[in-house]
Amino acid sequence: GIWWVFEVIPIGVTAIAIGVFQALFLIRPAREAFRDFMDPSVMFIFGSIVIGLAFTKSGLTRRIAYRMMAVVGENSNTILLGCLVVTAALAHLMAHTAVAATMFPILLAIYALYGEGDKRTNFGKSLFIGMAYAAGAGSIVTFLGAARGPAAAGMYKEFTGNEIGFFELTSYMFLIGWSMVLLIWLYLITFLKPEKSSIPGLRDTVRRLADGLGPLSGREWLVLAIVLGVVLTMSLKGVVPFLQPIDRAALMLVSTLLFFILGVLTVRDLEEIPWNIILLFSGAMSIGFCLWQTGAAEWMAVQWLGLLHGAHWLVFVLGIAGFVLLMTNFIMNVAAIAIVLPVALVIAGYLNVAPDVIVYASLVTAGMPFLLLIGAAPNAIAYDSGQFTTGEF
């Protein structure tokens, strides 16, 4: 954790060190420690990044960026708000990792119009940090935003026998998620006030650039069709019985195969994939499974929740939410939910606390790992912009 925060060595190399130390100190066998580096979740991240690459190569990112900029106008704060709203809205319909991978090149195109080159600016920090935060806030609203929602619903059903409906989750989380998006925007424009209040002539420039692109090309239609097909298939996974056993990473990687088979991407494009970021996420998976399998995470959960046994119900709920928030910054948010919820739901029964309250409070904080890059893939993807350090984040 210290190496990641202070960037002692490149973050991808720190991730490799996680596997190395587990093997050197006999914490886990090397086969287990390094197998996590190719976990399905990591391959899902890889597939999401390839989708973003396909959007860029086909020209779709520039088209989306220009259309969006034409709507939001020339004010820097309004542009930032528009980017946050689009990110959060997309995170209702697809995994927040895929959203971040899709938005990243769009934000690069927008930042290029800001006219500061690769120089670090407050506006650049706001754009990319805001994208990571908004992806998390938007992902709590539906079951499609991240795997943590279905995982929590499954545990809730196991402990209570009741199910959380698709729209039931949304009815509770919609207000919280969108309030967070507004708060994130207010926070960023206050503490990272853009150097330029507006970008004069931007609307005309963007309109001219958009007109110059002409109608959608066959390549762009192909990318759109593939991505929409994958998103639709993943959305149907929960309802269509024969799709349920298929891992979402396999469905996501279908798009990767199609992009190369149909010539949208070439082998040279593989060199542009940020392997440093993929390694970072691989290391996060390895450290998460290490904490889980060695019992270290369970020990922390029991010690923490044991302190709350017999406490006032509000203290108990806040304590659980606080612990999930802490854990989700160090390990995968699905793992944080898996560690905390079983213990919390048992103790909640003794305190007469409704299990629904525990589940929703946990899901809110699990979806917002806004401290460390390893907490969520959108954080790591945003870091690839080079606009901020891990310490600033």
Side-chain angles (χ1 to χ4, degrees):
I2 291 168
W3 280 19
W4 262 325
V5 171
F6 293 101
E7 295 182 83
V8 178
I9 53 177
I11 55 176
V13 183
T14 300
I16 293 172
I18 287 168
V20 172
F21 291 152
Q22 288 177 56
L24 282 180
F25 293 105
L26 308 180
I27 297 168
R28 284 198 303 164
R31 179 175 292 181
E32 291 182 15
F34 290 111
R35 184 174 57 205
D36 299 337
F37 279 68
M38 291 295 284
D39 185 83
S41 295
V42 177
M43 298 313 294
F44 185 87
I45 303 304
F46 171 76
S48 301
I49 289 172
V50 172
I51 283 178
L53 188 62
F55 265 69
T56 303
K57 291 291 177 181
S58 66
L60 272 171
T61 51
R62 279 184 302 160
R63 190 180 295 277
I64 295 169
Y66 296 157
R67 294 299 179 197
M68 190 171 77
M69 297 286 278
V71 172
V72 297
E74 301 179 351
N75 184 279
S76 300
N77 290 338
T78 312
I79 292 168
L80 176 61
L81 180 60
C83 293
L84 298 186
V85 166
V86 170
T87 302
L90 286 174
H92 293 358
L93 304 172
M94 53 199 286
H96 65 336
T97 303
V99 172
T102 304
M103 287 298 296
F104 182 76
I106 295 173
L107 297 186
L108 286 178
I110 290 171
Y111 189 66
L113 295 170
Y114 192 63
E116 294 292 335
D118 293 330
K119 179 183 170 186
R120 285 182 176 177
T121 63
N122 283 347
F123 183 68
K125 289 182 174 67
S126 294
L127 270 184
F128 291 98
I129 292 177
M131 179 268 285
Y133 290 172
S139 72
I140 70 169
V141 177
T142 71
F143 281 121
L144 302 178
R148 78 186 89 87
M155 290 177 209
Y156 175 83
K157 184 178 180 180
E158 189 177 325
F159 276 84
T160 66
N162 300 321
E163 288 194 23
I164 297 175
F166 187 91
F167 293 108
E168 184 184 351
L169 178 81
T170 303
S171 67
Y172 286 114
M173 298 299 224
F174 187 86
L175 185 60
I176 299 172
W178 281 101
S179 297
M180 273 304 299
V181 173
L182 181 61
L183 284 171
I184 290 163
W185 176 66
L186 291 172
Y187 177 80
L188 291 173
I189 63 173
T190 303
F191 293 100
L192 287 173
K193 191 174 181 181
E195 293 79 4
K196 301 176 183 176
S197 59
S198 65
I199 310 174
L202 177 65
R203 193 189 289 272
D204 292 334
T205 303
V206 166
R207 193 175 286 117
R208 188 173 64 253
L209 289 169
D211 292 339
L213 291 175
L216 279 168
S217 66
R219 201 179 182 198
E220 287 173 305
W221 277 115
L222 186 59
V223 172
L224 275 176
I226 292 171
V227 173
L228 288 173
V230 169
V231 170
L232 181 62
T233 308
M234 285 198 289
S235 304
L236 293 173
K237 189 175 180 297
V239 244
V240 181
F242 78 89
L243 288 175
Q244 289 173 2
I246 303 174
D247 190 90
R248 65 196 182 107
L251 294 174
M252 176 62 80
L253 289 173
V254 168
S255 63
T256 301
L257 293 176
L258 288 173
F259 289 143
F260 284 96
I261 289 169
L262 299 174
V264 175
L265 298 175
T266 65
V267 69
R268 190 179 293 275
D269 295 321
L270 284 173
E271 297 173 8
E272 296 183 27
I273 291 172
W275 295 103
N276 189 44
I277 301 306
I278 292 171
L279 279 173
L280 164 69
F281 209 69
S282 301
M285 291 300 298
S286 187
I287 201 171
F289 282 122
C290 181
L291 286 168
W292 172 259
Q293 291 175 9
T294 58
E298 188 180 0
W299 179 85
M300 286 191 287
V302 170
Q303 295 298 315
W304 178 267
L305 297 176
L307 297 173
L308 302 172
H309 185 71
H312 186 272
W313 70 267
L314 182 58
V315 174
F316 177 69
V317 172
L318 288 172
I320 290 167
F323 185 73
V324 171
L325 184 61
L326 179 68
M327 292 291 287
T328 197
N329 276 286
F330 283 95
I331 64 175
M332 297 298 298
N333 43 50
V334 179
I337 288 289
I339 290 162
V340 177
L341 267 192
V343 185
L345 288 171
V346 169
I347 299 176
Y350 291 106
L351 295 178
N352 292 320
V353 176
D356 311 62
V357 177
I358 303 298
V359 170
Y360 291 125
S362 300
L363 280 177
V364 167
T365 50
M368 302 188 193
F370 295 166
L371 299 178
L372 302 181
L373 295 182
I374 58 172
N379 300 358
I381 291 169
Y383 175 78
D384 198 45
S385 67
Q387 281 294 316
F388 57 88
T389 66
T390 52
E392 285 173 323
F393 188 79

